[in-house]
Amino acid sequence: MAETHSLQDLRQAAVASKVFVQRDYSSGTICKFQTKFPAELESRIEKQQFEETVQTLNNLYAEAEKLGGRSYLEGCLACLTAYTIFLCMETHYEKVLKKIAKYIQEQNEKIYAPLGLLLTDPIERGLRVVEIIIFEDRSIGSR
Amino acid sequence: TPSSLSVGGALGDPSPFRPSRYVPVSAATAFLVGATTLFLCFTCPWLSEQFSSSIPLYNVVIFLFTLANFCMATFMDPGIFPRAEEDEDKEDDFRAPLYKTVEVRGIQVRMKWCSTCRFYRPPRCSHCSMCDNCVEEFDHHCPWVNNCIGRRNYRYFFLFLLSLTIHIMNVFGFSLLYIIHHTKQLDQVHSAVTMAVMCVAGLFFVPVAGLTGFHVVLVARGRTTNEQVTGKFRGGVNPFTQGCLKNIAHMLCSSQAPRYLGRLRKPHSVQVQPPFLRPPLSEAQLAAKVLDNGIQQSKSSLEIMESQSTDADPPPPPKPEHRYPGLPHTQNEECSLLTVAPPTPSLYKYRPAYSSPGKKHTASTHSSKMSRGNSMTESPSVPVTTGKPSYRSDPSLSSRGGAGCRGGGEGGRAGSGGLGGASAFGGRSYPSFTDTLLQSAAASCSSSLRSAHTAHNALGPLISEGTTSTSYKSLANQTRNGSLSYESLLTPSESPEFESHSLSTAPGAPPILGYTSPFLSAQQREGSLQACPAPLRPSPNRAFLRPTSSPPSRAPPLSPRARSLGSPPPGPAPGHTSLGKSLSYGGGAELQHRPSSSGGGTPMPKFTYISLFFPPPTISSTIKQNVANHNTHSHKPSGGVKKVTGVGGTTYEISV
């Protein structure tokens, strides 16, 4: 019995449910997620924190899709090298995606995991949704 | 089936190897490489001697640029969305509508549920029936590169066209120069070859230049081929355009969009363990909690509905007798750019739910639009959850079973049918056989009407369900993108099932010969055509083609979102019969019209027929493939059909 109990403690918490934060298309097809606070998270995280996270993500995606000198140069270079440059160089978007992955990892470690939540990188779902996994809170009992 | 849920996305059922799809791309490659090589070997030496060696150099550079863009357009992932996973889909209640409306820059745009990929297609996304994938910013499927053109590779496709036009002009021009200087030596091999190359160049110049011009206009207007050809923004405003210059800049200079498929999925390295921190509750939340205890389910469902339906019209509050949850908010549905139809009640995503035939019929009279689900059935239990949290088993589902009119949301993934009178327990729907014979003629008709899409071609389990199998099978059939595919158009001519369709009009006909919809999805046709007896393969695709004879049919209305049935006939037998008739008529009409479609001009009632760029020499024999290659169908409301002759031999027949 005691053993089972400690084993349960060691195991990762069980998934209770998942929330999906949808894309915000109000500004067109640019990658942007809705900052509206989902109801399921009401008792798990502060609205402010959630909104901040999503807003930061939106800003990062905006940076990735920005039509700047950077992306223009990249395009020119690609053209000139008959696109072989893509074999060795990482595109601007990919660089930002790495940044985003890091940011999500950080957020998970610092903020979300202690709250029993987990953010999943939306790139895994084609940048359509941000998946937030809500873990079962066994220690306190159901809310 | 596991294959369609693969995380890498895009696998679906393994498509049979179709060598015919490689013919155009092989021909294009052969012509491009062959003609250029001949030009470089036979014409260029003289040119470099006579004028300058920069001429061949210039031609080689242009040629390599053309080739590079051609390769990129051919081999690059156009922006395929991976299939959504189960957990994402569960969130959408089976009653969820076939369409979700989103506001893009002040303009209502509809997002349609993709039954294959299991998500609402983002704006500008479309499902390619050739590739069986949803592609971001879908332009068209190009047979010349044997690939979809979408967000990621549109730039290369455009540059390919541009550079190819220039290349053709170069080759033609310099070959002409050669010929002009060799008019007395035309019997030489070199001259003969040069003339041949000139002919090829001249021949391809017109369609290529035409297509290039077409795309220049598209880019300037910020439209995709799909949008142009389906007339989405005709007379309306395009919310996706940012002005000519910005559109061009965006197309050429934006950073290469990432691919979604084939990415390494890093597992979460973070340990999530209780005890968890909790945010401090606000007063309001505390109060809510207190009230909440007794009616946990419904409250949370209401909250969920509020929070998750920001991009859709809010569903009406759940009521026990609420039959048509979608009706109140369907008024907004049609404010979209698709100047398609006056507002019609939206139908629902079909989860293999069941409705009793009576209710279904009543429902059908109210809904002439596509239904994603057979969710006309009301649920006696309170939570009409559009957004149940996933992973939570829905007790209401089981309790609904008692009402004897709902199919299971959870259980019916395989596409159980929408035959009337099902009793649903624990999320599974079980057809009620007693109802079958009575209702099958009408019910199967309507049920198959509504079920155009299912995620899986799960004919197996369906067949085993006996008399209800026809309607189930109809649900199992998928339409790729909710619209008709050319291949499926051809099916009627090939399969007896089309004939059997007319049998379905006879009441009391064996249910197995119940409604068979005219269209099989490509895979259905290919995979199951030989395997199953024709009558057992209704195609829900047809369903949405001919929704009704009495209510004005809109092809859309019938396009069930995948497992749902479109608008069922207005009344049991008579409606059903007329529906059946109209369906067979419709199918037949298409049948007859099919061969002439390449030349274009045959009006197809309530049907949008678009053929893009048939390779000129191969019209009759390869019409099937060519047509199949370019399916851009959208269902339009009934009305006239407008034939639009495009560039390079394109013919668009658009029903307006």
Side-chain angles (χ1 to χ4, degrees):
Chain A
M1 272 312 191
E3 276 168 4
T4 323
H5 184 68
S6 61
L7 274 173
Q8 282 172 347
D9 280 346
L10 290 173
R11 265 207 318 256
Q12 180 108 317
V15 175
S17 64
K18 291 187 181 184
V19 187
F20 295 96
V21 178
Q22 298 290 330
R23 275 275 289 268
D24 174 8
Y25 293 110
S26 59
S27 316
T29 49
I30 59 160
C31 187
K32 204 173 163 209
F33 290 96
Q34 291 178 7
T35 48
K36 190 172 191 298
F37 189 57
E40 297 93 323
L41 297 179
E42 226 152 82
S43 54
R44 302 298 293 254
I45 187 173
E46 276 175 19
K47 184 170 167 183
Q48 197 91 358
Q49 178 62 61
F50 170 81
E51 279 177 5
E52 198 186 298
T53 306
V54 179
Q55 194 54 51
T56 312
L57 280 176
N58 287 342
N59 293 340
L60 285 168
Y61 283 115
E63 188 194 324
E65 298 187 346
K66 200 174 68 154
L67 286 183
R70 180 89 198 238
S71 57
Y72 175 70
L73 275 173
E74 207 177 70
C76 283
L77 199 61
C79 246
L80 292 172
T81 62
Y83 310 114
T84 52
I85 196 90
F86 288 139
L87 296 168
C88 31
M89 194 183 80
E90 199 179 51
T91 72
H92 172 64
Y93 210 117
E94 287 287 344
K95 285 201 181 97
V96 179
L97 283 179
K98 278 212 170 122
K99 220 158 110 178
I100 290 170
K102 235 178 82 187
Y103 173 75
I104 289 177
Q105 169 87 354
E106 253 175 49
Q107 287 282 295
N108 276 337
E109 278 168 13
K110 291 193 193 139
I111 298 164
Y112 286 81
L115 292 168
L117 301 171
L118 212 56
L119 290 175
T120 306
D121 197 334
I123 194 72
E124 291 178 17
R125 289 182 187 258
L127 290 182
R128 289 181 301 105
V129 289
V130 178
E131 174 195 352
I132 304 176
I133 307 173
I134 303 172
F135 288 92
E136 208 177 78
D137 202 349
R138 272 179 276 123
S139 59
I140 295 173
S142 67
R143 39 193 165 89
Chain B
T1 55
S3 61
S4 58
L5 295 174
S6 66
V7 166
L11 287 187
D13 288 339
S15 43
F17 177 62
R18 278 176 287 179
S20 61
R21 61 190 295 186
Y22 297 100
V23 169
V25 62
S26 311
T29 314
F31 274 115
L32 177 62
V33 176
T36 308
T37 311
L38 289 174
F39 170 76
L40 291 172
C41 295
F42 287 87
T43 317
C44 281
W46 177 84
L47 285 168
S48 75
E49 282 167 27
Q50 194 73 10
F51 299 102
S52 155
S53 58
S54 63
I55 291 179
L57 185 66
Y58 165 70
N59 280 293
V60 166
V61 166
I62 298 287
F63 170 62
L64 288 178
F65 187 66
T66 307
L67 204 59
N69 283 299
F70 179 69
C71 290
M72 291 297 265
T74 304
F75 298 114
M76 180 169 263
D77 178 328
I80 295 171
F81 283 110
R83 302 277 197 265
E85 290 171 30
E86 288 276 344
D87 52 12
E88 195 182 331
D89 191 19
K90 269 196 193 104
E91 192 184 66
D92 287 311
D93 189 76
F94 70 94
R95 285 163 165 277
L98 180 58
Y99 287 98
K100 260 191 190 176
T101 322
V102 170
E103 194 175 283
V104 179
R105 298 213 182 136
I107 291 164
Q108 299 291 313
V109 172
R110 286 193 316 187
M111 294 184 3
K112 191 175 177 188
W113 171 257
C114 183
S115 56
T116 315
C117 304
R118 312 292 282 232
F119 52 75
Y120 285 98
R121 291 182 198 137
R124 309 197 102 182
C125 164
S126 190
H127 192 99
C128 176
S129 42
M130 286 297 293
C131 311
D132 194 25
N133 291 315
C134 266
V135 174
E136 191 172 12
E137 288 181 29
F138 178 78
D139 193 85
H140 69 285
H141 182 97
C142 183
W144 302 107
V145 299
N146 191 28
N147 194 15
C148 279
I149 307 299
R151 176 184 177 190
R152 296 187 76 233
N153 64 354
Y154 182 80
R155 170 189 325 179
Y156 307 112
F157 174 74
F158 182 82
L159 289 174
F160 164 62
L161 285 180
L162 211 52
S163 54
L164 185 63
T165 309
I166 295 168
H167 181 60
I168 291 175
M169 290 194 301
N170 289 337
V171 168
F172 186 86
F174 287 115
S175 299
L176 187 64
L177 191 62
Y178 181 97
I179 294 295
I180 286 171
H181 282 85
H182 289 81
T183 44
K184 305 249 165 54
Q185 298 130 6
L186 289 179
D187 52 338
Q188 276 180 4
V189 171
H190 288 244
S191 301
V193 168
T194 305
M195 281 205 288
V197 166
M198 239 180 89
C199 286
V200 168
L203 194 72
F204 280 103
F205 178 74
V206 174
V208 171
L211 189 54
T212 308
F214 176 65
H215 277 273
V216 165
V217 170
L218 283 185
V219 170
R221 295 171 115 181
R223 297 183 188 184
T224 63
T225 305
N226 187 282
E227 287 162 353
Q228 174 69 35
V229 154
T230 55
K232 276 206 171 94
F233 308 128
R234 214 180 330 161
V237 182
N238 181 358
F240 303 111
T241 182
Q242 297 161 300
C244 181
L245 285 174
K246 270 205 170 168
N247 292 336
I248 296 168
H250 192 78
M251 191 261 298
L252 288 176
C253 308
S254 63
S255 182
Q256 176 63 56
R259 70 178 187 309
Y260 300 130
L261 292 188
R263 295 190 84 90
L264 283 168
R265 265 205 172 189
K266 266 178 32 182
H268 290 286
S269 57
V270 183
Q271 274 285 336
V272 182
Q273 279 177 332
F276 299 133
L277 303 171
R278 289 280 176 162
L281 286 179
S282 66
E283 282 297 310
Q285 284 172 313
L286 280 167
K289 247 180 161 321
V290 169
L291 294 169
D292 200 26
N293 288 334
I295 42 171
Q296 180 80 10
Q297 181 71 34
S298 57
K299 174 95 166 95
S300 59
S301 355
L302 277 173
E303 287 170 358
I304 287 154
M305 285 193 297
E306 281 162 25
S307 71
Q308 291 178 356
S309 40
T310 47
D311 57 345
D313 297 302
K319 289 188 298 193
E321 294 82 34
H322 202 233
R323 281 189 181 206
Y324 316 117
L327 286 179
H329 73 82
T330 55
Q331 278 70 25
N332 300 335
E333 269 269 343
E334 288 306 318
C335 303
S336 70
L337 287 171
L338 315 169
T339 53
V340 171
T344 51
S346 57
L347 303 186
Y348 293 88
K349 166 184 177 184
Y350 177 78
R351 291 256 175 172
Y354 246 54
S355 63
S356 68
K359 287 169 187 163
K360 184 165 55 189
H361 287 307
T362 349
S364 72
T365 54
H366 290 266
S367 53
S368 55
K369 269 202 75 147
M370 284 149 286
S371 136
R372 186 167 112 169
N374 188 359
S375 48
M376 283 308 130
T377 56
E378 71 284 14
S379 146
S381 62
V382 169
V384 176
T385 55
T386 38
K388 303 196 304 294
S390 45
Y391 299 117
R392 209 185 288 176
S393 64
D394 188 355
S396 60
L397 267 182
S398 344
S399 65
R400 281 175 198 146
C405 57
R406 276 243 350 320
E410 319 283 323
R413 234 165 252 291
S416 41
L419 212 57
S423 50
F425 290 97
R428 250 186 212 281
S429 55
Y430 300 94
S432 127
F433 288 84
T434 53
D435 290 339
T436 300
L437 285 178
L438 282 175
Q439 307 294 343
S440 65
S444 60
C445 191
S446 44
S447 61
S448 44
L449 273 180
R450 285 201 257 155
S451 69
H453 313 253
T454 47
H456 322 290
N457 295 333
L459 289 184
L462 301 185
I463 291 169
S464 65
E465 296 199 305
T467 51
T468 59
S469 59
T470 29
S471 14
Y472 284 98
K473 279 188 210 79
S474 66
L475 300 174
N477 289 324
Q478 318 170 265
T479 48
R480 298 289 158 250
N481 52 2
S483 50
L484 303 162
S485 76
Y486 287 121
E487 288 163 318
S488 51
L489 274 182
L490 294 168
T491 315
S493 59
E494 292 156 22
S495 75
E497 71 176 38
F498 184 69
E499 277 75 81
S500 72
H501 164 71
S502 53
L503 289 175
S504 71
T505 63
I512 209 141
L513 291 180
Y515 174 76
T516 62
S517 38
F519 303 101
L520 273 183
S521 63
Q523 284 186 5
Q524 282 296 312
R525 182 174 62 85
E526 307 218 338
S528 57
L529 202 56
Q530 295 78 28
C532 309
L536 294 178
R537 281 174 292 113
S539 280
N541 294 1
R542 275 185 186 166
F544 68 76
L545 213 232
R546 300 281 164 284
T548 59
S549 41
S550 15
S553 58
R554 312 193 163 285
L558 270 205
S559 111
R561 181 164 130 171
R563 306 161 273 188
S564 69
L565 299 183
S567 62
H576 152 72
T577 311
S578 56
L579 177 60
K581 281 200 186 126
S582 69
L583 278 162
S584 49
Y585 168 71
E590 280 130 35
L591 244 194
Q592 289 138 28
H593 290 306
R594 282 260 52 264
S596 57
S597 60
S598 63
T602 324
M604 311 257 264
K606 306 162 191 177
F607 176 68
T608 304
Y609 174 101
I610 293 142
S611 63
L612 278 175
F613 304 106
F614 285 126
T618 55
I619 287 175
S620 49
S621 56
T622 60
I623 190 174
K624 188 159 132 175
Q625 287 87 6
N626 297 335
V627 159
N629 288 345
H630 286 292
N631 312 340
T632 341
H633 302 266
S634 66
H635 7 279
K636 295 276 178 178
S638 60
V641 165
K642 188 166 139 183
K643 184 185 81 150
V644 175
T645 311
V647 292
T650 21
T651 310
Y652 312 123
E653 293 180 3
I654 302 164
S655 65
V656 295

